[in-house]
Amino acid sequence: MKHIVKIMVLLVAISACWIGLLQTSIILRSHTWLLPIYFIISLGCYGLLMVGVGLMNFPTCPQEALLLHQDIDEAKEFLKRRGVDVGSD
């Protein structure tokens, strides 16, 4: 619940700033109408950046990989006993 309140407060604050810029003539009116589009594009770029950073820092877990290979070998043996062809190693 707290997270949605933070998001709503942020949206209200951004909307208030945008409406304030529309009312005053600090920035050209044609540029002010494009601010929400710029905001959405920058938010998308930020999201892609965070995904890229997350992929670059993806932790490797050698112990978990070993356990996964053991589980795969157990499953192959189980299927071979049942008469299922699981391919070659």
Side-chain angles (χ1 to χ4, degrees):
M1 186 66 176
K2 291 180 182 179
H3 192 65
I4 191 74
V5 171
K6 288 179 186 177
I7 291 172
M8 292 304 292
V9 167
L10 182 65
L11 287 175
V12 167
I14 290 172
S15 298
C17 289
W18 183 58
I19 291 171
L21 286 173
L22 282 173
Q23 296 298 323
T24 61
S25 297
I26 296 173
I27 300 175
L28 292 175
R29 196 169 191 83
S30 61
H31 294 296
T32 307
W33 282 107
L34 295 175
L35 284 177
I37 295 170
Y38 293 150
F39 178 72
I40 291 170
I41 290 171
S42 63
L43 190 63
C45 291
Y46 174 76
L48 286 175
L49 177 72
M50 289 296 105
V51 167
V53 168
L55 287 174
M56 287 190 301
N57 295 332
F58 192 76
T60 56
C61 306
Q63 276 186 323
E64 295 299 322
L66 182 62
L67 290 174
L68 180 61
H69 283 294
Q70 289 174 354
D71 288 343
I72 290 171
D73 291 337
E74 285 179 23
K76 283 183 179 180
E77 288 299 320
F78 175 77
L79 290 173
K80 282 181 184 176
R81 279 186 270 137
R82 299 281 179 161
V84 178
D85 182 24
V86 292
S88 61
D89 292 319

